Amino acid sequence: MKRRDFLKTTLTTTLGSTAAVGISSQSVMARGNLKPAPDAVGMLYDSTLCVGCKACVSACKKTNNMPPVQAKNKKDTADFARDLSSKTLNVIKVYRNGNLAVKDRQINGFAFEKRSCMHCVDPGCVSVCPVTAMRHNPITGIVTYHADACIGCRNCMVGCPYNVPQFEYENPFGQIQKCQMCNQAGVEKIDKGGMTSCAEVCPTGATLFGSRKSLMAEAKKRMALKPGEVYNYPRGNLDKKPSHHEKEIPIYKKHIWGEKEAGGTNVLHISSIDFDKLGMPPLKDRSSASVAETVQHTLYQYMALPAVALAGLAFTVAKNSNNDKDNDNKGDKK
Amino acid sequence: MSTHKALPGRILSLPFLVFLSIFLVGMYFLMQRFVFGMGEVSNLNGGFSWGIWVVYDVVIGSALACGGYALAFTVYVFNKGKYHPLVRPAVLASLLGYGLAGFGAFFDMGRWWQFYNIFLPNNWNFNSVMLEVGLCVTAYIFVLALEFAPAFLEKIGAKGLLKVLNKLLFLIVALGILLPTMHQSSLGSLLIAMGHKVHPLWQSMHLQPLLALLTALIMGFSIVIFEGSFSAVGFKEKLQTHLFKNLSKVIIWLLLIFLVARFATIIFQGNISHLLSFDTNSLLFILETALFTVPLLILLSPANRSQGSRLLIAAVCMLLAGSLYRFNAFLFTLNPGVGYSYFPSAPEIMVTLGLISFEIMAYIVLVRTLPVLHHEKT
Ligand code: SF4
Ligand code: SF4
Ligand code: SF4
């Protein structure tokens, strides 16, 4: 083969196979989204029930030994956290529009929205972490963080669609912080048969604990209720004798956030406001993590492709080096 | 007859002292980072957890260090012996560039004191693109050190070791081609899991690894042209444009494939509207595309391909184009969500400039003390 042709063929083969893998992996070997664990636990946050008391924020800080974020004047003792941070794993945000006249109304209204780890069914943070410091419990579905393994590359932060994991930048020996559904080592409320601190203290049941299955059923039931009528809303742990209170049924958006988004989440949200207005990201049903893994595994399936490539390259190089030697001997004596 | 030899002249010069002072300022801030934490010196935040230390020092820095990769491809695999003279300077620049990319990744690690966790197999998450990047880049730094070792061994006259190394050279060079192909494409794959945060014009999903690999090769070949002219100036010789003519033809193909793949993806994904919106992102896209297109137009004319100055312009355009592509995708157009913004702090920039200065100083010292550059005696 002529050298020039050789150059062309090899370059084209390399690039061509990368492209082919990219395109073919779209369908052939796609891994698809992970499926919810059958006994996964989670929470249902009903924005229309939330009164913005932030009892859940305080309870979360107490469980995690985190200080309140102080107001500018430093006199107010309430927590003024505006967003998630390495000191705030659960936060209540406010949606505002126009004259703010009516709660849970998109135009000229306001609403509350909770932010904390969604405990994804197909978690990006777990997929991207090189050292398995983010772990997805196969039974509870809870996503936990393990500082002893973590190298602090912060890929989990960019890989989380909700910007949940937060690094302690101000600490020279910092770590990642995120909600671990009160099941982190030393707390283990769920393993002990309890519920999350935020659901425990919520006075209205806006944050409700339970199995993903029963929470999903509850959310679907609420979608089907007739606005204006009265419903007996559960509080606390949906699966373990919840207490109840009666409240008028609002007009829900027919959308359960977390049923499908990026493979779904174990923390579900329902609301009277469109979720993009509440700051939820524009997610497709297919999780980006599953696409990344599909591409990567197709390229590296059992390391076969790289191994074959190395053998081929080594052979070619060896052959060509010998040619070089011949040439050297002929013309390039020193 | 030809041979490698050290570049004559003094090491200490005015520019060298300027680089030295920038380096020292950078190291001062780097020390602060270790003592007070990353928040003290950087503007990183919850939405932008990768700043210029990752995106410039690692993602772009390693691509700028792909000269050794591009040349290894050409010289050994395709058996074009006539490119030999450029290998050593290119390998040296790659070694320095990759070494600093590795160091950049290290000091950017939030938990650097347990960096070794990534080398412990029981921790490995085989689904993680980052794992592949981390291990593969580390391995490649060792391979580059071995590729460069002959220059050092010649200097100290270790003939026995040189022989052993030459016997193994075929394996080392093969790895020197395989490893960058793997991790340079993976650097692109990192963007896939970032999903919606990456702007639609840069979120090519399945094609991320291909586009990243193409930019790595394009930038690698451009650096070779760049270093070739440096070497020519250093020895006060005529630029060996004939060496670059054939490289140019390869580059033309790479540029063409890149542009076609890029536009095909955008059309296929139905994102043309983003291109025509003429907001900051679409303007960045247009600038980037122009930087890829101008060198293509220059190189397509055979007359230009033998003119040193034109080649140099094309090379500079491509280096900027590839860097801008990666900057755009990872940082400039990234949108993690409302409420987050990032612009590097002065200390962050100084750390990066300090490391670039170090790279240049190390290059100067090494080409003046070791037989790196190729001298053609006639
Ligand atoms: S405790 Fe319940 S009602 Fe109070 S802010 Fe939290 S979710 Fe809303
Ligand atoms: S919300 Fe983010 S941190 Fe929580 S499980 Fe999902 S990807 Fe991980
Ligand atoms: S910062 Fe830690 S937990 Fe997050 S991806 Fe990196 S190693 Fe994993």
Side-chain angles (χ1 to χ4, degrees):
Chain A
M1 203 190 289
K2 273 201 203 119
R3 284 175 180 184
R4 177 155 313 154
D5 297 339
F6 195 52
L7 174 88
K8 271 188 200 153
T9 352
T10 316
L11 247 190
T12 333
T13 326
T14 313
L15 295 173
S17 49
T18 317
V21 162
I23 292 160
S24 66
S25 62
Q26 289 192 45
S27 49
V28 190
M29 287 182 256
R31 99 131 149 75
N33 290 334
L34 298 181
K35 296 280 168 287
D39 296 317
V41 294
M43 292 189 273
L44 172 63
Y45 173 76
D46 185 334
S47 157
T48 68
L49 292 176
C50 180
V51 294
C53 67
K54 298 202 254 186
C56 53
V57 179
S58 305
C60 176
K61 297 224 164 173
K62 208 168 153 206
T63 303
N64 289 290
N65 291 318
M66 288 179 171
V69 176
Q70 284 193 312
K72 286 243 165 66
N73 62 24
K74 303 222 167 171
K75 282 188 196 122
D76 238 311
T77 49
D79 200 308
F80 276 74
R82 318 254 349 215
D83 210 335
L84 295 180
S85 73
S86 59
K87 294 186 181 68
T88 305
L89 311 187
N90 168 37
V91 74
I92 298 294
K93 298 180 125 189
V94 192
Y95 163 79
R96 300 161 202 270
N97 184 277
N99 65 11
L100 313 177
V102 180
K103 184 172 182 287
D104 298 316
R105 194 170 70 182
Q106 197 151 319
I107 310 290
N108 285 329
F110 71 100
F112 296 110
E113 170 70 342
K114 193 178 190 234
R115 271 289 175 285
S116 61
C117 175
M118 302 295 286
H119 294 276
C120 301
V121 169
D122 193 350
C125 60
V126 172
S127 166
V128 299
C129 177
V131 292
T132 330
M134 289 286 181
R135 290 171 209 162
H136 189 226
N137 187 298
I139 296 161
T140 59
I142 296 175
V143 178
T144 50
Y145 166 73
H146 304 266
D148 53 338
C150 171
I151 56 170
C153 67
R154 309 191 298 289
N155 204 348
C156 50
M157 300 175 71
V158 295
C160 167
Y162 305 93
N163 299 317
V164 165
Q166 297 281 331
F167 187 75
E168 297 172 336
Y169 290 114
E170 63 294 336
N171 179 351
F173 297 97
Q175 65 167 68
I176 294 280
Q177 292 287 358
K178 78 178 267 299
C179 154
Q180 308 184 67
M181 260 220 241
C182 293
N183 215 28
Q184 56 270 39
V187 179
E188 291 135 347
K189 290 181 119 184
I190 313 304
D191 285 352
K192 289 176 189 153
M195 60 173 128
T196 53
S197 298
C198 53
E200 204 165 15
V201 298
C202 181
T204 64
T207 299
L208 185 65
F209 182 80
S211 72
R212 186 177 195 265
K213 263 192 201 133
S214 41
L215 292 171
M216 186 67 80
E218 175 72 22
K220 287 194 169 143
K221 190 158 123 201
R222 292 185 196 178
M223 303 277 102
L225 295 174
K226 223 174 173 190
E229 289 182 355
V230 167
Y231 177 65
N232 207 10
Y233 282 97
R235 279 186 290 222
N237 187 338
L238 184 60
D239 297 320
K240 281 190 183 168
K241 295 193 217 89
S243 66
H244 287 87
H245 69 106
E246 291 192 331
K247 193 189 154 286
E248 196 185 299
I249 297 158
I251 306 170
Y252 286 108
K253 292 277 176 207
K254 301 278 177 278
H255 183 176
I256 302 170
W257 183 280
E259 187 180 9
K260 296 206 185 84
E261 282 75 14
T265 53
N266 291 333
V267 174
L268 309 171
H269 283 213
I270 55 177
S271 166
S272 295
I273 314 283
D274 287 321
F275 282 108
D276 57 332
K277 299 273 186 305
L278 295 178
M280 282 300 197
L283 297 183
K284 302 203 175 79
D285 287 357
R286 175 100 191 260
S287 75
S288 301
S290 75
V291 181
E293 289 186 19
T294 302
V295 171
Q296 197 69 356
H297 286 300
T298 320
L299 275 170
Y300 290 95
Q301 201 150 43
Y302 308 113
M303 294 303 284
L305 219 63
V308 170
L310 178 62
L313 285 171
F315 176 75
T316 325
V317 172
K319 210 178 106 211
N320 292 345
S321 311
N322 289 338
N323 290 349
D324 283 356
K325 232 170 267 160
D326 297 346
N327 293 342
D328 282 356
N329 293 343
K330 265 179 241 147
D332 205 29
K333 284 205 189 88
K334 293 192 182 137
Chain B
M1 191 160 128
S2 66
T3 174
H4 289 101
K5 72 175 211 184
L7 188 64
R10 283 183 313 137
I11 288 174
L12 276 185
S13 60
L14 187 63
F16 194 89
L17 290 174
V18 173
F19 289 130
L20 188 63
S21 31
I22 300 176
F23 168 68
L24 291 175
V25 175
M27 287 312 99
Y28 167 74
F29 288 119
L30 194 57
M31 205 189 62
Q32 286 205 322
R33 173 256 173 277
F34 282 109
V35 177
F36 302 110
M38 247 187 290
E40 181 73 17
V41 286
S42 80
N43 281 344
L44 295 173
N45 55 54
F48 286 90
S49 40
W50 286 347
I52 55 168
W53 289 350
V54 169
V55 179
Y56 182 80
D57 297 10
V58 181
V59 176
I60 296 174
S62 70
L64 290 171
C66 273
Y69 170 45
L71 264 185
F73 233 115
T74 326
V75 172
Y76 292 97
V77 180
F78 310 130
N79 197 12
K80 298 204 158 190
K82 56 185 170 182
Y83 289 142
H84 269 153
L86 290 172
V87 170
R88 259 189 208 175
V91 166
L92 173 60
S94 293
L95 176 59
L96 290 171
Y98 264 97
L100 287 181
F103 181 55
F106 171 75
F107 71 75
D108 185 81
M109 271 181 200
R111 295 172 70 76
W112 50 271
W113 61 94
Q114 41 189 41
F115 74 94
Y116 56 82
N117 273 345
I118 199 171
F119 302 123
L120 304 181
N122 58 319
N123 286 329
W124 288 350
N125 168 16
F126 287 105
N127 296 329
S128 166
V129 178
M130 185 58 102
L131 177 72
E132 200 282 312
V133 172
L135 297 182
C136 196
V137 168
T138 313
Y140 185 51
I141 293 174
F142 285 109
V143 167
L144 279 169
L146 286 176
E147 280 188 79
F148 186 68
F152 181 71
L153 295 177
E154 271 172 28
K155 170 90 177 178
I156 61 169
K159 292 230 170 71
L161 268 178
L162 257 175
K163 254 201 186 130
V164 177
L165 209 59
N166 275 332
K167 282 240 167 70
L168 289 175
L169 202 62
F170 74 98
L171 194 67
I172 299 171
V173 175
L175 279 170
I177 295 164
L178 176 70
L179 295 178
T181 308
M182 287 165 64
H183 64 242
Q184 283 296 334
S185 59
S186 288
L187 282 173
S189 302
L190 283 177
L191 291 162
I192 303 176
M194 291 158 76
H196 72 276
K197 297 182 183 180
V198 177
H199 189 276
L201 288 175
W202 283 270
Q203 188 46 291
S204 54
M205 294 304 268
H206 295 80
L207 285 190
Q208 292 288 15
L210 176 70
L211 293 177
L213 186 60
L214 283 166
T215 52
L217 281 165
I218 291 170
M219 291 166 82
F221 282 118
S222 309
I223 272 289
V224 168
I225 296 181
F226 211 80
E227 279 156 7
S229 42
F230 178 85
S231 162
V233 172
F235 284 120
K236 300 195 170 57
E237 280 171 352
K238 224 174 105 251
L239 185 71
Q240 302 165 321
T241 43
H242 64 276
L243 286 181
F244 302 136
K245 271 195 224 161
N246 290 322
L247 279 187
S248 306
K249 288 185 194 147
V250 181
I251 297 177
I252 291 175
W253 279 106
L254 294 173
L255 287 170
L256 275 174
I257 303 171
F258 178 84
L259 287 169
V260 169
R262 194 100 166 74
F263 278 91
T265 316
I266 291 169
I267 294 167
F268 183 73
Q269 292 178 331
N271 284 327
I272 286 285
S273 58
H274 288 285
L275 211 167
L276 301 173
S277 65
F278 297 106
D279 56 2
T280 320
N281 296 333
S282 100
L283 292 178
L284 280 169
F285 178 89
I286 292 167
L287 176 63
E288 178 196 306
T289 308
L291 285 169
F292 277 110
T293 317
V294 169
L296 181 62
L297 296 179
I298 293 179
L299 296 177
L300 276 175
S301 134
N304 287 341
R305 287 202 287 262
S306 48
Q307 211 179 321
S309 58
R310 294 279 161 82
L311 275 178
L312 212 57
I313 295 174
V316 171
C317 280
M318 289 184 286
L319 291 174
L320 291 174
S323 306
L324 187 59
Y325 169 74
R326 291 179 178 215
F327 256 134
N328 282 341
F330 276 92
L331 203 56
F332 292 168
T333 69
L334 194 79
N335 181 9
V338 273
Y340 288 116
S341 65
Y342 168 83
F343 191 86
S345 68
E348 254 178 298
I349 296 174
M350 284 316 298
V351 169
T352 291
L353 290 180
L355 289 180
I356 296 173
S357 303
F358 176 82
E359 192 174 349
I360 297 171
M361 289 189 298
Y363 194 88
I364 295 175
V365 171
L366 289 173
V367 295
R368 288 208 188 277
T369 49
L370 296 180
V372 174
L373 297 184
H374 196 267
H375 189 30
E376 228 165 290
K377 289 182 217 146
T378 37

